[in-house]
Amino acid sequence: MQSTQFIGEHLLPGQIGYFLSILSFVASLVATFSFAKAFYAKELVVEASWKKLARTAFVIEAFTVIGSFLVLFYVIYNHLFEYKYVYTHSDNNLPFEYLLACFWEGQEGSFLLWSFWHAVLGLILIKKAKAHEAGVMMVISFAQVMLASMVIGLYVFDFKIGSSPFILLRHEMNWPILSRPDYVQLLKDGTGLNTLLQNYWMVIHPPILFLGFASTIVPFAFAVAGLLKKQQDWVKPAIPWANFSAGILGLGIMMGAAWAYESLTFGGYWAWDPVENASLVPWLTLVAGIHTAMIYNKTGASLKATYLFLGISFLLIVYSTFLTKSGVLGDTSVHAFTDIGMNGQLLFFLFIFVIPFFVLYFVRYKNMPEPVKEDAIDSREFWMLIGSLVLVLSAVVIILKTSTPVFNKIFGTQIAPPEDPEFAHNQVQIFVAIIIGTLTAIGQFLKFKTTPMAYFKKQLIWPLIITAIISTIIFVFVGVAYDDKGAGFLGAIYIAIVASVFAIVGNISYWSVVLKGKLKSASASVGHIGFGLVLAGIFISSANKTTLSYNTTGISPLRVDSTQKKSPVGDPRENLTLFETIETDMGKYNVTYLRDTFDALGKRYFELNFKEKKTGETFKLYPDVLKNNKGMEGFSANPSSKHYIHKDIFVYVTSFQDHTEEDTTRFTPVKIAVGDSIFYSNGYIKLEKVNVNPPGDRPAGVNELRLQLNVVSKEGLKYVAEPGILLEGLNLSSKLDTVKAQNLVLSFNKVIDQEKGILEIGVKESTSLTNLITLKVYEFPWINLLWLGVIVTTIGFMMGAYYRFKK
């Protein structure tokens, strides 16, 4: 459909999308009101009538969200750059999978993705929630109202509600070109997808993570309905949903860690980035809520904690949304969105859930039933509660540190972030890991109410012995190489590794000995085994992470500002410079930079050949760089890894120079005699001898004088250069020689004084001899324990959800 004023505009998709956004907002309002009426209805007939209307409204709302999703992808897929969202987030060169990543690069698309998962979960709950349907769906439908308002793009007087992904570029930008009737033909391409997001993990990580975000509303909705009705029968049906949510959210978070590991250049999978923290904190409180809910199911205790922990899990998701989408973390996180003028609406979204929940929670607090008798110290519920409280306290510490920019903005303070943010978190969280690892090992051997000590000790003997043996093997054959933060932190690492092994061994023992290998009751054990593997993978790989790329050439093009607190380059001494085609010593390996290749997106891949000195094994790695877009300078580097069962070799480019341009550097003439030395910028050159007609292939009648020059760098590296002069009749010609690793070109110019043996050579120091790259290489031992642990933990949560849903 074409505009009468503007040629070539495709208005129909945007009109459909905008209509669906309005309909979604209205339908979710109707669903919220109708489910609320059904929830409070006194008569079954009235309740059924309102439920019928509510279900119809929610189904319509779900289909409008799905429709909006499809329309937005249609305009992205067809490169309709007249739409601002398409122009801002895509371009013509992106392959299909990255067009999907364009969808959630922008805030509007991410809100739509979140709403899509709410719609899917809501449709399932309409079928499965039974007696709890009205209360739970009332809360979810109200959340859909808020999410729909984020993408509606309506003006109420001068206040804009939401930001529509279907708005035309000419309605938002005042570029002169956009006033021309044929402007669409002039929009040849969009600004493209952020280079950091051009990775396959960014195609699958956000949908999984947002499913995790969305699913936290289900246990929250059960809790809110329970508070409103003063009924406690919601806990049991909420547990499988909480298990599902924890499994998916944890998987999504660790997919983000895998993306960071493979795409970002901070040399690892977790940097305590504020946005990473904001997603981790709800997971911690959710896991705590699962455990207190299980306590309540068994003993009737910990109901207050269950309400609180499951409630704040969703509220923390909304808070993390504010942190990441308001722009407040723009200066401290590589993941944060920029502010698009919706901060007031984001705050309203936060407070409209936070304030009513806590008011209701404290109003109902006194009426929440709790057993008069205190938990016995030898009972499972006592230590489950302790573990849950430790998880929540851990979450509090993380979120307080993460919220520093918010405090500064609200109170006008100038609290500076710690100089070493990773250690600021690690020095606290390592003790959380020790406590939780130990509790997961011993907790399942305890019984509810009370535990006979003889039984308890008997069950723990063999797990303790096996843990001691495995830990000793790890310390002897793998070791702990990390000693940067003193003896105290080093000791904590040793204890944490033992606790991780204990968690794995203890739960394997419980599953095999006590549960007799039965799967139906094994979900907790499987989840705990996975968690132990995660902890072991973190501590062993991080404590033994080794830098392989120490500079042995003495050449480094890197210049690092000392005031720069975070740099992918880090210490220049840990960055090795390679010259094209020249094999270079790198500790355990000899490495050769072979060549460059380019793909269709313009990514420049550097082909590196690694040869292990001891075994002679060779392998190739292909780190790449892509020119930054979105107004950012320079290049974005993507690492490459060689995966073994027991380690990863991880490499990324920190600097590269293309020296295919013309060399304009001049030779410097220098007098020298046999035995003399002259200096260049990185060492000295010594003339050893002059060879007359040395052995070699020369045409008949040609005489040659060839010099033997020994080049020694400051690092003690030695090279030989042999420039010469060829004499054919009366014709003289110079034969140059190069030492590429030292950027040297040498010539034999002439004999100045034959009797005294004084010669003249030419010395040129040129950076245009060859292409070179500078890279950083790490070795991560046993990092696959981490990824295996993530998979096993997720399986454990899913098993728990499946068997409880089945019941």
Side-chain angles (χ1 to χ4, degrees), residues 294-312:
M294 292 168 64
I295 294 172
Y296 176 75
N297 259 1
K298 289 289 186 179
T299 69
S302 298
L303 179 62
K304 294 173 181 177
T306 302
Y307 268 116
L308 181 62
F309 297 164
L310 293 181
I312 63 173

Side-chain angles (χ1 to χ4, degrees), residues 479-783:
V480 175
Y482 187 89
D483 58 359
D484 290 358
K485 302 299 179 182
F489 191 69
L490 178 61
I493 292 174
Y494 276 99
I495 297 170
I497 291 174
V498 174
S500 306
V501 174
F502 192 27
I504 299 167
V505 173
N507 281 278
I508 291 175
S509 175
Y510 181 81
W511 183 11
S512 58
V513 175
V514 179
L515 298 180
K516 309 296 183 186
K518 294 178 182 176
L519 281 177
K520 286 188 177 181
S521 308
S523 61
S525 296
V526 173
H528 291 161
I529 291 167
F531 186 67
L533 286 168
V534 168
L535 293 181
I538 289 171
F539 291 120
I540 295 174
S541 66
S542 299
N544 292 286
K545 173 182 160 184
T546 305
T547 301
L548 301 178
S549 53
Y550 283 103
N551 193 328
T552 56
T553 65
I555 298 172
S556 176
L558 303 176
R559 298 290 182 268
V560 182
D561 184 356
S562 60
T563 63
Q564 191 175 357
K565 293 187 178 177
K566 256 193 168 180
S567 168
V569 173
D571 186 344
R573 293 172 299 179
E574 296 181 353
N575 294 261
L576 180 65
T577 299
L578 305 179
F579 293 86
E580 191 171 19
T581 72
I582 295 178
E583 188 175 72
T584 305
D585 182 12
M586 193 188 73
K588 299 178 182 179
Y589 299 91
N590 287 319
V591 187
T592 308
Y593 160 32
L594 297 177
R595 64 190 179 110
D596 304 355
T597 56
F598 292 84
D599 70 3
L601 294 176
K603 278 188 177 181
R604 182 175 188 159
Y605 290 86
F606 301 93
E607 184 176 340
L608 307 175
N609 185 72
F610 283 70
K611 182 178 181 181
E612 190 170 7
K613 293 177 182 177
K614 283 186 177 180
T615 64
E617 179 202 4
T618 62
F619 60 88
K620 288 184 172 63
L621 290 177
Y622 299 87
D624 68 81
V625 295
L626 180 63
K627 186 172 177 57
N628 280 323
N629 55 8
K630 308 286 187 181
M632 296 184 294
E633 298 290 331
F635 288 79
S636 173
N638 282 299
S640 180
S641 299
K642 171 66 174 176
H643 303 290
Y644 296 88
I645 292 176
H646 66 293
K647 67 180 180 180
D648 276 6
I649 305 298
F650 175 97
V651 56
Y652 64 90
V653 174
T654 52
S655 171
F656 70 97
Q657 295 179 20
D658 185 350
H659 293 143
T660 55
E661 72 275 4
E662 184 180 352
D663 180 18
T664 58
T665 311
R666 296 180 180 275
F667 281 96
T668 301
V670 181
K671 294 178 182 179
I672 192 170
V674 174
D676 288 349
S677 297
I678 60 172
F679 291 95
Y680 70 102
S681 63
N682 194 54
Y684 68 89
I685 303 167
K686 182 179 179 181
L687 175 57
E688 289 292 335
K689 58 182 177 179
V690 180
N691 295 311
V692 179
N693 289 330
D697 294 331
R698 280 187 310 278
V702 175
N703 294 306
E704 180 181 5
L705 289 178
R706 188 187 300 173
L707 307 182
Q708 181 181 326
L709 298 170
N710 290 349
V711 179
V712 182
S713 74
K714 292 175 182 177
E715 296 75 32
L717 301 174
K718 297 179 180 180
Y719 310 89
V720 175
E722 295 184 318
I725 293 177
L726 299 175
L727 175 62
E728 185 177 6
L730 297 176
N731 296 321
L732 281 174
S733 61
S734 181
K735 184 179 178 182
L736 305 180
D737 201 358
T738 60
V739 182
K740 290 183 178 180
Q742 295 294 305
N743 289 326
L744 286 174
V745 184
L746 300 168
S747 66
F748 181 4
N749 294 346
K750 59 185 177 181
V751 177
I752 295 177
D753 189 329
Q754 187 173 355
E755 291 183 4
K756 294 181 179 180
I758 299 175
L759 315 172
E760 180 183 286
I761 64 172
V763 179
K764 179 166 72 170
E765 294 191 57
S766 173
T767 57
S768 299
L769 297 182
T770 183
N771 294 337
L772 63 85
I773 61 172
T774 303
L775 47 81
K776 181 169 277 192
V777 185
Y778 292 117
E779 182 178 285
F780 285 94
W782 297 104
I783 193 172

Side-chain angles (χ1 to χ4, degrees), residues 365-438:
Y365 188 83
K366 290 183 179 179
N367 298 321
M368 295 179 192
E370 291 282 357
V372 178
K373 184 182 177 182
E374 292 186 1
D375 297 331
I377 197 170
D378 61 352
S379 66
R380 182 185 292 192
E381 61 268 26
F382 177 83
W383 292 105
M384 283 176 70
L385 180 60
I386 294 297
S388 299
L389 292 173
V390 169
L391 287 174
V392 172
L393 288 173
S394 167
V396 169
V397 171
I398 295 170
I399 203 66
L400 287 177
K401 289 179 183 289
T402 303
S403 300
T404 300
V406 179
F407 298 148
N408 288 342
K409 213 161 217 181
I410 294 173
F411 301 109
T413 54
Q414 294 183 340
I415 304 172
E419 290 186 10
D420 187 348
E422 290 188 33
F423 183 63
H425 284 285
N426 289 340
Q427 64 184 335
V428 175
Q429 300 307 322
I430 191 169
F431 294 104
V432 172
I434 290 169
I435 295 169
I436 298 300
T438 304

Side-chain angles (χ1 to χ4, degrees), residues 215 241-251 283 286-287 290 797-798:
S215 60
W241 284 103
N243 270 276
F244 172 81
S245 182
I248 293 296
L249 181 56
L251 180 63
W283 184 84
L286 186 60
V287 173
I290 291 170
F797 278 120
M798 293 300 106

Side-chain angles (χ1 to χ4, degrees), residues 20 62 87 141 278 635:
L20 290 173
Y87 179 83
S141 297
F635 288 79

Side-chain angles (χ1 to χ4, degrees), residues 60-79:
I60 292 171
E61 192 271 337
F63 278 99
T64 59
V65 170
I66 295 168
S68 298
F69 196 97
L70 294 174
V71 170
L72 182 55
F73 184 72
Y74 173 84
V75 296
I76 292 173
Y77 180 77
N78 288 282
H79 306 298

Side-chain angles (χ1 to χ4, degrees), residues 228-299:
L228 289 170
K229 279 288 184 73
K230 302 181 186 178
Q231 295 175 351
Q232 319 311 335
D233 61 342
W234 63 273
V235 177
K236 190 172 183 179
I239 290 177
W241 284 103
N243 270 276
F244 172 81
S245 182
I248 293 296
L249 181 56
L251 180 63
I253 292 168
M254 293 312 295
M255 280 183 169
W259 164 66
Y261 182 63
E262 293 196 9
S263 186
L264 299 183
T265 52
F266 55 70
Y269 45 82
W270 195 266
W272 292 109
D273 181 274
V275 173
E276 294 173 343
N277 299 348
S279 62
L280 174 64
V281 167
W283 184 84
L284 292 172
T285 58
L286 186 60
V287 173
I290 291 170
H291 286 80
T292 56
M294 292 168 64
I295 294 172
Y296 176 75
N297 259 1
K298 289 289 186 179
T299 69

